[in-house]
Amino acid sequence: MSATPTASAAPPRPASTPGPDVVRLDPNRHVPGVRRPGFAQVLHAEWVKFWTVRSTGWSLGLLFLLGAGLTTLICWAVAEDLAAGDTGESPASFITWGLLFSQLTALALGTLVVTSEYGTGMIRASVTAVPRRGRVVAAKALLLTGVLFVAGVVTAVIGYLGGNWFLDREGVGLALSEDGVLRALLGNGLYLAGLGLFALALGLLIRHTAAALTIGMALVLVVGNLAYALPGTWGEWVAKLMPGNAGGSVAQVAPFSGGAVLAPWTGFAVFCAEVAVLLLVAVLAFRRRDA
Amino acid sequence: MIVARGLTKTYGPKTAVDHLSFTVEPGRVTGFLGPNGAGKSTTMRMILGLDRPTSGSVTVNGRSYAASPAPLREVGALLEARALHPGRSARDHLRWLAASNGIPRARIDEVLDLVGLEAVADQRVGRFSLGMGQRLGIAVALLGDPPVVVLDEPVNGLDPEGIRWVRRLARELAGQGRTVLVSSHLMSEMALTADHLIVVGRGRMLADCSMSQFIADHAASYVRVRSPRSAEVETLLRQHGLDVDRHDDELRVQGLDAAGIGELVGRAGLHLHELTLVQSSLEDAFMTLTADSVEYAAHPTETAGALR
Ligand SMILES: Nc1ncnc2c1ncn2[C@@H]1O[C@H](COP(=O)(O)OP(=O)(O)OP(=O)(O)O)[C@@H](O)[C@H]1O
Ligand SMILES: [Mg+2]
């Protein structure tokens, strides 16, 4: 690096106007490397950002513990009653039960990926490094969905293995080959990935960790459950279309008997559409607003 | 080269930047000066494409910042507020920035070394002092070895040694033919660094000239004259067409240097008790220039009497 400025002796003060003694910068003097960085470089940058903050490790660790751990725990607790037929529920409803809690961490992770940048001012560094803001969001979204999908599937599989061990002991276990089991394990990853995107979009719109997180959780959990109290078929439809209810059914082998839900893949398609619309609005706002 | 044309930014009813047009030339340090809230940081954010101008435009090397394929290689910037995650180490912060613009990792150690942060590179930046954070910001600005460097109050929080270092660095970068824009509200600081000055107040352009021009235009000087027979001296000087202001027993004379005045008075057989050239500092000149555009002036407290 020849042209690297060093803080050595003070150079003589040049004239106010650039004279002939001023060195013209050689355009090829730049540090080596990729001259026209593209999406791959932006993705790499987001990858580094993602894994170099503690909240990532915490969120993913909790996601696994809550998802796999609570599923195992509930199966251990209810296995006997299930075998006796006392619960009125199918064992299939319990095999991904931890998702109820692990979805919170997916929401948190998705929110933080954006709002932590707003909270710290990092967003300005991000946008100066990559002024094409759509690319920044695309890279974040791809990374987040990839990681959450893998984490969701791994968590569900471990939870299934743990929970099913107790169910099997009581003779009410589910084989992997049974209807909907594989779909639900895969669906865990899909649903959590979608939920992460949903939270990311909310974060982009709201730009404030606590507010975005609260609204995200309220929409998915609280409002989603309250909607079941709405009267009539109209109310039932509203409840079925709420993001958490629509998206969640793909991640369950069989729903609990309480609320009506859409068929797994129909529900997931509805959920994806909702996330896509929200994300589109968020990206448009992000591109227009001052960083 | 940075070129702004009619650059304007309003936030609601507030006009932060008001039709600024200027050119920041390569090969010299351009000082960007103005009191608090003058619109310096806002202008810099618009240069970097962070804020969208309400009207007007600004280009860097002939195109808008956002159009640059690898902006960190084109413009290096130190922003006013820290743009870092406190939980990340300095090295990791530089690592993602380098990755985003395809800059090789070896460059990270170079800039860390350059700003003197090698020893703490793996510490979380949340623990950094103000000055260390500022040094990291400068490392970020130099990461892509950019031909254009924009520094918003770079000496903020630095110790005297650090201040001198930034001064030298800015001069050196300009000496290499780079375009260097440095903001400050300290005229005295700029006097030591800048070749060219852009002075703003309340978003409006107050001066855009070379440093030496600014000194000639704004730093007023006069000769202070005291004499036991000051009335006679005053009449004499006025007769010779000089500007004389009387302040108590001192005369402030403009239009002739001290030696000339001394000879003039001596020839008339009058005695002088004082003959001093008084030059108002650049800081005063700056204060005078921006006096009308200071928004956030402190008002003298009136509690002194109560304490007695
Ligand atoms: N995002 C914003 N929203 C509303 N007003 C803003 C915003 N950013 C800046 N302003 C206002 O615009 C004006 C110019 O602010 P700016 O930060 O550019 O000043 P400055 O010259 O950098 O001041 P200082 O020397 O204190 O750093 C101020 O009155 C400020 O309150
Ligand atoms: Mg400022």
Side-chain angles (χ1 to χ4, degrees), chain A residues 83-95:
Chain A
D86 289 347
T87 60
E89 300 282 355
S90 142
S93 303
F94 290 94
I95 203 68

Side-chain angles (χ1 to χ4, degrees), chain B residues 2-282:
Chain B
I2 302 171
V3 180
R5 289 287 165 258
L7 197 59
T8 302
K9 179 73 186 181
T10 57
Y11 295 105
K14 164 112 206 152
T15 303
V17 174
D18 198 356
H19 292 92
L20 284 190
S21 296
F22 58 82
T23 302
V24 184
E25 301 274 358
R28 66 190 190 190
V29 177
T30 300
F32 194 24
L33 216 57
N36 287 135
K40 305 181 294 294
S41 301
T42 306
T43 304
M44 288 179 158
R45 284 201 304 273
M46 286 192 283
I47 293 173
L48 299 173
L50 289 170
D51 282 20
R52 185 188 290 257
T54 308
S55 67
S57 66
V58 58
T59 58
V60 181
N61 291 341
R63 61 180 164 201
S64 80
Y65 182 89
S68 173
L72 297 186
R73 293 168 174 277
E74 191 117 17
V75 187
L78 168 72
L79 293 169
E80 181 176 39
R82 271 199 205 183
L84 314 157
H85 192 293
R88 206 173 266 130
S89 73
R91 189 188 304 280
D92 286 338
H93 185 63
L94 291 167
R95 209 148 65 81
W96 79 257
L97 281 161
S100 72
N101 275 240
I103 295 165
R105 290 179 73 159
R107 178 69 185 159
I108 295 171
D109 290 316
E110 279 176 16
V111 290
L112 280 170
D113 188 49
L114 179 70
V115 302
L117 288 179
E118 325 84 311
V120 291
D122 295 308
Q123 274 184 28
R124 309 207 291 145
V125 298
R127 299 213 194 102
F128 277 19
S129 68
L130 190 57
M132 288 158 80
Q134 209 68 346
R135 283 169 186 269
L136 177 56
I138 290 170
V140 170
L142 298 178
L143 188 62
D145 196 17
V148 178
V149 179
V150 174
L151 306 174
D152 198 354
E153 293 181 34
V155 301
N156 190 11
L158 290 183
D159 53 19
E161 153 66 26
I163 293 177
R164 290 182 53 189
W165 168 69
V166 169
R167 246 181 238 153
R168 275 206 305 265
L169 183 68
R171 300 223 49 81
E172 207 164 333
L173 291 169
Q176 291 163 350
R178 298 176 210 246
T179 305
V180 182
L181 180 66
V182 183
S183 87
S184 172
H185 21 65
L186 292 179
M187 182 70 210
S188 49
E189 179 55 39
M190 284 293 103
L192 293 168
T193 321
D195 307 299
H196 193 88
L197 275 186
I198 294 173
V199 185
V200 289
R202 293 202 184 201
R204 271 188 284 262
M205 181 72 78
L206 297 178
D208 181 358
C209 59
S210 70
M211 193 71 212
S212 47
Q213 184 71 42
F214 185 86
I215 295 172
D217 286 356
H218 297 283
S221 66
Y222 62 90
V223 179
R224 182 159 63 213
V225 177
R226 276 183 221 268
S227 166
R229 295 158 69 184
S230 68
E232 285 162 68
V233 173
E234 185 177 352
T235 322
L236 174 76
L237 294 175
R238 282 192 197 283
Q239 276 165 2
H240 283 82
L242 304 179
D243 271 343
V244 185
D245 256 351
R246 172 177 285 278
H247 289 260
D248 297 328
D249 66 334
E250 78 171 54
L251 302 175
R252 295 184 178 174
V253 187
Q254 276 179 304
L256 194 62
D257 62 0
I261 294 171
E263 277 174 30
L264 206 63
V265 176
R267 277 203 297 272
L270 297 165
H271 293 283
L272 291 183
H273 286 177
E274 186 182 351
L275 183 66
T276 324
L277 175 68
V278 179
Q279 252 176 325
S280 73
S281 69
L282 276 177

